[in-house]
Amino acid sequence: MFLFLMNGARDKHISKSYYRKSRGLILLELAASKDFEEDWKQIDLIDIEPFTIVTYRNGLLLRLIWDGEKRLDESLSLYEPQIWSSATLYSPDVAELRKSWFNEFYQGRVLSPKDLFDFHTKTKVEDPEIGLIINRDDKIRTNSVTQFVLSKNKFELSYLDILQNTSQKITESIL
C-alpha cells in the first residue's frame, strides 16, 4: 500500500482559522488502519481542512477527496500516466495548462521512472508562479521533489533537495 496527500480538494477553498486536526494525522490514521475502506467511510472529517489522498491498495489506484462537506471516491487507471496539481496552489486554468504540458511530454509513449523524474525536475517554464518547480517570491516554493517507484521485488526512492542542490537514491529489495 502507498498513500500520498495533497492539500485541498478539487477547488481552492477559503481556509478557516481553526481546524480540529491536521490532514496529515488523518493520513497516518488511515495508513495504520486494519480496515482501510471502512475507516475511510467512517473517520470523522468534520472540521478537517479539505484534502486529496491518492492510494494504491490491493491492486487498485484510488483518489479519495474530502472537500470540507463530503467525501468522494474515484477509481483511477493503473495504466494511464496522470498528473495532479494542488487546488491550493494552482487555479483550474493553470492545472489544465500543467496537464497539457504533461500530455505533450507523454504523447502515449512508454515512460521510464527517469523520464518522469526529469519531467518534474528539468522541464523549464519561464514563469516560476506556475511551473513544475515554483518560487513565488520565496514565500511559496518547491523545496524538493520525491519519486517512489514500486516494482515486483524492489522499491526505489529518488529525492532532490532543490534548496541544498543535493540528491539521493535509495533502493530496497522487497521479500
Side-chain angles (χ1 to χ4, degrees):
M1 169 178 75
F2 78 75
L3 299 160
F4 77 82
L5 174 87
M6 286 189 300
N7 294 334
R10 292 195 167 167
D11 300 311
K12 188 169 182 157
H13 62 279
I14 298 171
S15 289
K16 299 177 186 176
S17 61
Y18 168 81
Y19 288 100
R20 183 174 53 82
K21 186 188 296 188
S22 165
R23 299 170 277 206
L25 292 175
I26 299 296
L27 182 78
L28 292 175
E29 288 175 28
L30 290 170
S33 171
K34 300 243 187 283
D35 188 345
F36 183 90
E37 288 79 9
E38 187 60 29
D39 285 349
W40 167 246
K41 291 176 189 171
Q42 299 299 324
I43 195 166
D44 181 8
L45 297 175
I46 301 301
D47 289 328
I48 303 296
E49 193 163 8
F51 62 85
T52 300
I53 292 175
V54 176
T55 180
Y56 175 78
R57 288 183 43 83
N58 303 323
L60 298 173
L61 186 62
L62 301 170
R63 180 173 26 205
L64 310 173
I65 299 170
W66 169 247
D67 70 4
E69 295 179 13
K70 63 183 179 300
R71 337 168 185 250
L72 304 160
D73 303 11
E74 299 175 338
S75 294
L76 301 171
S77 171
L78 287 171
Y79 306 103
E80 181 83 19
Q82 300 176 45
I83 186 169
W84 302 291
S85 297
S86 169
T88 62
L89 294 176
Y90 301 99
S91 70
D93 289 343
V94 172
E96 281 303 311
L97 178 61
R98 291 162 56 91
K99 190 180 285 188
S100 73
W101 297 336
F102 181 72
N103 290 336
E104 183 179 314
F105 169 78
Y106 167 50
Q107 295 182 347
R109 64 189 171 116
V110 176
L111 298 173
S112 70
K114 182 183 181 318
D115 292 334
L116 291 167
F117 197 77
D118 286 351
F119 171 77
H120 282 282
T121 58
K122 295 180 180 172
T123 299
K124 298 295 181 213
V125 176
E126 297 302 317
D127 186 345
E129 293 282 318
I130 64 171
L132 295 169
I133 295 178
I134 62 171
N135 185 348
R136 297 177 182 164
D137 297 323
D138 287 330
K139 292 180 182 153
I140 298 174
R141 64 181 301 157
T142 305
N143 294 326
S144 63
V145 176
T146 304
Q147 179 186 54
F148 182 79
V149 179
L150 178 65
S151 64
K152 194 178 246 185
N153 60 357
K154 69 177 180 175
F155 74 83
E156 289 183 355
L157 181 98
S158 299
Y159 177 79
L160 173 64
D161 183 321
I162 294 166
L163 301 180
Q164 300 297 319
N165 195 27
T166 60
S167 62
Q168 187 174 6
K169 188 173 217 168
I170 300 168
T171 303
E172 293 287 333
S173 295
I174 300 173
L175 299 177

